[in-house]
Amino acid sequence: MDARVEAIARGAAAELAWLIEHPPLYTAGTSADPADLIDARFPVHRTGRGGQFTYHGPGQRVVYLMLDLKRRKPDIRCYVASLEEWLIRTLRRFQVKGERREDRIGVWVRRPERGAGHEDKIAAIGVRVRRFVTLHGISLNVDPDLTHFAGIVPCGVSEPRYGITSLFDLGVPVSMPEVDMALRAEFEAVREFSRAVAELAATREPGLFTTEQRKAKRGGKILIDVMRNAYAHTSVAPYSVRARPEGPVATPLFWEELEDRATHPQRWTLQTVPKRLERDGDPWRALAKTARPLSAARRVLRQALDEASAVSR
């Protein structure tokens, strides 16, 4: 993993995801408390990822992601939130409602049958970033031996009302290949959605928007770049200065600004963007907290596509 990450950072290798099923073992993150290792019944591996102790073993899907955040949004909080949303959408395919928590990393499932306020963790997240390339990733409990978690305090969460669960424990007996297919489908879901939105916008406002990748053929229109922006990220760091006359600044947009005829690549510069931030604030200031499922947005998109189709006929 280290060698691949270095190669990605140099631009010498493509991004990569590994889907792995470990033998029984414990891993310790950079914040691991030795007192949380209760019974070292399995090998213990020290890692460079964030977080504390966790268990990996058969029946658990581990995904190591080696992604270049420079090609997206170089924001670790946003990246972790996107991993949580990916897991939540994957669980939804199996009729399991996973939820994120502000005070606990990972994905949680409410268990009211076990008592008031009881929640179980079904998926863990532990990441590291080196030169803006990610290491480590996620683990999803499909059907592991849950008693193996008893050798540690998982992720440092010791309150009795918080436990560990799996799809099988929740009455969802699915195979690992089925989980892998769901993970892949949900990873691609946002890209497919963004492409459809971009094409619809370009169809509705052909004089303003385009999806044409070749700059010479854009005709001065605004490019909706689904090749790089499909995961709500950008390959240009927010508020970075472009090497052009008058120093235009790469500025995040509010939704309503997409319909503003005054929006163009040169609109905000080193002189004007401070006034914009002072007046309007940062459009992305709460991005990590405002992630929403695509289900409602898909319904709106389908309606818009039907309307566009009816007009064209």
Side-chain angles (χ1 to χ4, degrees):
M1 190 189 312
D2 288 340
R4 183 69 177 217
V5 164
E6 287 300 320
I8 293 171
R10 295 195 312 271
E15 298 174 315
L16 188 65
W18 288 342
L19 278 67
I20 293 173
E21 195 171 358
H22 282 297
L25 56 87
Y26 297 127
T27 64
T30 54
S31 303
D33 183 345
D36 288 344
L37 182 60
I38 300 169
D39 177 12
R41 66 184 79 172
F42 303 120
V44 179
H45 296 269
R46 303 285 171 178
T47 70
R49 64 163 174 80
Q52 305 186 48
F53 281 104
T54 194
Y55 165 78
H56 296 312
Q60 183 190 70
R61 172 54 77 218
V62 174
V63 184
Y64 291 135
L65 295 159
M66 289 151 273
L67 304 177
D68 187 354
L69 296 186
K70 295 192 299 295
R71 296 174 56 188
R72 298 172 172 82
K73 178 174 168 53
D75 184 319
I76 298 175
R77 284 188 179 183
C78 184
Y79 173 60
V80 171
S82 70
L83 295 181
E84 289 175 335
E85 180 62 20
W86 178 31
L87 287 162
I88 289 169
R89 293 199 311 265
T90 298
L91 290 169
R92 192 178 297 124
R93 285 180 171 253
F94 302 109
Q95 287 72 55
V96 172
K97 185 179 180 181
E99 300 178 76
R100 55 167 58 88
R101 293 290 177 260
E102 290 294 327
D103 59 335
R104 287 168 272 134
I105 296 295
V107 177
W108 297 78
V109 178
R110 297 175 192 246
R111 305 298 299 273
E113 73 278 10
R114 297 189 175 182
H118 195 102
E119 298 181 349
D120 287 345
K121 192 172 191 175
I122 193 169
I125 297 173
V127 302
R128 183 181 181 185
V129 176
R130 182 187 303 153
R131 295 174 62 187
F132 288 107
V133 180
T134 66
L135 300 91
H136 304 283
I138 65 169
S139 62
L140 175 59
N141 295 334
V142 180
D143 183 19
D145 186 337
L146 296 180
T147 65
H148 290 178
F149 285 89
I152 57 172
V153 177
C155 300
V157 180
S158 58
E159 291 187 50
R161 62 193 179 104
Y162 300 139
I164 302 292
T165 191
S166 67
L167 286 169
F168 185 83
D169 183 52
L170 294 170
V172 185
V174 296
S175 67
M176 197 67 76
E178 288 176 299
V179 170
D180 291 344
M181 285 190 290
L183 284 166
R184 174 159 187 163
E186 289 300 336
F187 193 83
E188 295 294 334
V190 180
R191 179 180 293 275
E192 294 168 4
F193 177 81
S194 68
R195 183 179 293 112
V197 170
E199 291 172 353
L200 178 63
T203 300
R204 283 187 167 181
E205 295 283 352
L208 181 62
F209 300 125
T210 181
T211 58
E212 174 58 61
Q213 292 293 315
R214 289 165 292 187
K215 190 172 183 179
K217 295 190 175 184
R218 293 177 197 161
K221 301 174 187 177
I222 296 174
L223 170 65
I224 306 177
D225 190 352
V226 298
M227 299 301 292
R228 296 185 299 188
N229 294 358
Y231 299 102
H233 296 137
T234 174
S235 64
V236 179
Y239 304 108
S240 60
V241 182
R242 301 178 66 203
R244 293 181 64 83
E246 299 183 1
V249 175
T251 306
L253 300 177
F254 291 99
W255 280 109
E256 56 268 21
E257 290 178 301
L258 289 176
E259 300 178 357
D260 186 348
R261 293 285 180 173
T263 298
H264 58 83
Q266 308 292 116
R267 182 172 182 181
W268 289 286
T269 68
L270 286 172
Q271 291 182 327
T272 60
V273 80
K275 295 179 182 178
R276 167 189 165 86
L277 287 170
E278 183 179 351
R279 183 186 70 243
D280 301 326
D282 183 358
W284 289 0
R285 59 185 174 274
L287 188 63
K289 296 181 179 179
T290 56
R292 295 292 184 271
L294 284 178
S295 52
R298 282 197 184 103
R299 287 194 294 270
V300 174
L301 176 62
R302 280 196 296 270
Q303 180 181 351
L305 290 172
D306 290 342
E307 292 173 355
S309 177
V311 171
S312 65
R313 290 197 297 268

